Amino acid sequence: MINLLDFDPVALAAFFAERGEKPFRARQALRWIHRRLADRVEAMTDLAGATRDALARDAEIRVPAVVRDTVASDGTRKWLLDVGGANAIEAVYIPEDDRGTLCISSQAGCALDCAFCSTGKQGFNRNLSVGEIIGQLWLANRTLLADGVSASWVEHGRHPITNVVMMGMGEPLANFDNVVAAMRLMLDDNAYGLSRRRVTLSTSGLVPAIDRLRDECPVALAVSLHAPNDALRDTLVPINRKYPLRELLAACLRYIERAPRDFVTFEYVMLDGVNDAPKQARQLAALVRDVPCKFNLIPFNPFPDAEFSTSPRVRILAFQKVLQEAGFVATVRKTRGDDIDAACGQLAGRVQDKTRRHVVRIRPARPASIPH
Ligand code: SAH
Ligand code: SF4
């Protein structure tokens, strides 16, 4: 069965056209699926009967199954979703007074192996499909509505989720096409209708893909910096060896020319005794002097077997002060969902690693000609 969640707006129009349907039928379907969050073709009552019957025969609306649904004491909620092949991914809902944010995963695992990240430690299995990515938003909205979530904007007919951050499991720019297709749905007025400023993509710094994103689907950009120089960043964020800081910052400048916001957000995880000295803050300020940016300092979130610990609060505040005195906006990220391991970098899901398990020692083959 075709999964209708796998189509972005253009692809859905093409799918309907191929079936000899008029373009407005595709628009109607888009609204049913993503605005009204229909879970079955049969529910699309204003589609012509013949269209609907034909569609129901070979298409469906399919989302990953919820394996676990956990709510933290601060209202943060985490869904563990089965994506097949014994893999599971996580999506996190973060309620605030003026918004509802959903943190979405883009891959089962991540191949980039940053030293301080729980997802990275799990290895990599595969890219998520468009339906699996947008399905997280569909599911969160539907579940929260069914649970009677209270928010003023929901009373006015809007979806509970007002902001999306591509900061869950995976490197979104390493799954470029599917992530962009899903973001096109997030932005489409007949689907989720979010503004580009309310969709944030976080990347560890895949330079060519940052340029592509700028050209194809500019949204708010967050870049995981984490170090003030290449020597340290090489060890924390290994992709830096391929795309060093100078190239990364140049890509940020190019991005800002077209971005919906006139700055990038630099994320900086605070690792005790590793990257949190005042001297490093000064080096950081000098490094990004020419890039319009804001800093988001993220206290390191521990996970089992982590090699790092969280910087003491005073050290984070001192680091923040250096940046502020150098003229930057620098905030310290509030850690949410502590008691359910739902914070940045703690998402682990379940990943059947395809990268490291396959490192097998090669034994020399016994020459066939030697008689036993
Ligand atoms: N792959 C993307 C997006 C997912 S991670 C990226 O790396 O940007 C989202 C953010 O959480 C990134 O800034 C990442 O560096 C950070 N992060 C990863 N592990 C963390 C941890 N244990 N504690 C705090 N932040 C972490
Ligand atoms: Fe992948 Fe981001 Fe984790 Fe690095 S921090 S391993 S890029 S998910």
Side-chain angles (χ1 to χ4, degrees):
M1 286 289 258
I2 287 165
N3 185 4
L4 292 172
L5 289 179
D6 277 330
F7 294 122
D8 75 1
V10 171
L12 190 68
F15 174 70
F16 270 69
E18 265 169 37
R19 302 168 70 92
E21 299 284 353
K22 301 228 164 59
F24 81 92
R25 293 280 179 221
R27 249 186 338 265
Q28 272 180 320
L30 196 65
R31 292 165 76 97
W32 272 110
I33 301 163
H34 296 287
R35 273 180 68 162
R36 304 177 75 161
L37 308 169
D39 63 347
R40 296 166 299 126
V41 170
E42 291 80 1
M44 305 183 188
T45 46
D46 62 359
L47 281 191
T51 305
R52 201 171 56 224
D53 292 347
L55 196 59
R57 268 196 296 278
D58 46 19
E60 62 181 354
I61 296 156
R62 193 168 64 238
V63 288
V66 177
V67 184
R68 207 185 317 131
D69 180 346
T70 332
V71 184
S73 52
D74 65 2
T76 302
R77 185 166 178 178
K78 182 167 84 167
W79 289 281
L80 180 71
L81 305 170
D82 182 5
V83 292
N87 292 292
I89 52 133
E90 295 184 315
V92 177
Y93 165 62
I94 305 141
E96 288 175 273
D97 291 344
D98 59 344
R99 69 184 71 181
T101 302
L102 189 69
C103 178
I104 288 186
S105 293
S106 56
Q107 300 182 305
C110 183
L112 297 188
D113 201 19
C114 299
F116 47 81
C117 173
S118 175
T119 303
K121 292 282 156 230
Q122 299 239 317
F124 174 73
N125 188 273
R126 65 171 175 87
N127 284 332
L128 298 185
S129 65
V130 181
E132 288 165 339
I133 299 170
I134 204 65
Q136 297 169 60
L137 180 56
W138 184 96
L139 197 77
N141 275 323
R142 215 178 124 95
T143 309
L144 292 165
L145 280 175
D147 290 355
V149 67
S150 84
S152 56
W153 58 92
V154 174
E155 282 156 30
H156 293 103
R158 287 177 54 203
H159 286 153
I161 303 297
T162 61
N163 293 58
V164 168
V165 293
M166 301 298 303
M167 292 185 187
M169 296 171 68
E171 166 51 53
L173 292 185
N175 183 12
F176 190 93
D177 291 340
N178 293 349
V179 163
V180 164
M183 293 198 306
R184 291 213 164 102
L185 287 164
M186 295 173 198
L187 301 173
D188 195 292
D189 281 339
N190 287 310
Y192 299 90
L194 301 180
S195 85
R196 289 180 187 277
R197 306 158 66 95
R198 287 177 178 268
V199 176
T200 301
L201 183 144
S202 173
T203 179
S204 55
L206 303 190
V207 167
I210 293 175
D211 285 327
R212 254 188 94 190
L213 188 69
R214 172 190 84 143
D215 294 337
E216 295 182 28
C217 190
V219 292
L221 185 68
V223 173
S224 297
L225 218 49
H226 306 322
N229 57 58
D230 282 321
L232 182 58
R233 196 164 190 268
D234 279 351
T235 68
L236 296 176
V237 185
I239 195 70
N240 193 69
R241 295 174 206 153
K242 192 160 181 195
Y243 305 115
L245 283 166
R246 203 170 52 85
E247 288 178 33
L248 177 57
L249 296 178
C252 291
L253 278 174
R254 292 193 294 275
Y255 193 85
I256 291 166
E257 292 166 14
R258 304 253 188 93
R261 292 184 184 273
D262 54 8
F263 61 90
V264 293
T265 301
F266 287 131
E267 296 162 284
Y268 196 98
V269 61
M270 302 298 298
L271 305 169
D272 188 20
V274 174
N275 65 353
D276 62 348
K279 198 173 106 200
Q280 289 165 314
R282 285 191 290 277
Q283 195 182 12
L284 183 62
L287 176 75
V288 303
R289 203 182 39 217
D290 301 327
V291 184
C293 65
K294 292 185 182 175
F295 283 99
N296 205 336
L297 306 178
I298 316 174
F300 170 68
N301 294 306
F303 54 88
D305 299 328
E307 301 152 38
F308 300 95
S309 44
T310 314
S311 305
R313 189 82 192 161
V314 283
R315 211 156 155 91
I316 299 179
L317 296 179
F319 198 94
Q320 179 187 33
K321 193 150 169 265
V322 172
L323 293 174
Q324 287 172 338
E325 283 172 356
F328 294 98
V329 173
T331 50
V332 179
R333 184 171 295 170
K334 252 194 298 167
T335 292
R336 299 286 307 259
D338 251 353
D339 46 340
I340 59 167
D341 288 349
C344 261
Q346 284 182 323
L347 301 189
R350 202 182 334 110
V351 178
Q352 303 307 310
D353 185 18
K354 282 195 170 164
T355 53
R356 276 160 247 168
R357 255 201 288 148
H358 287 228
V359 183
V360 209
R361 200 181 293 276
I362 298 168
R363 294 209 187 90
R366 184 196 292 266
S369 58
I370 297 179
H372 297 283

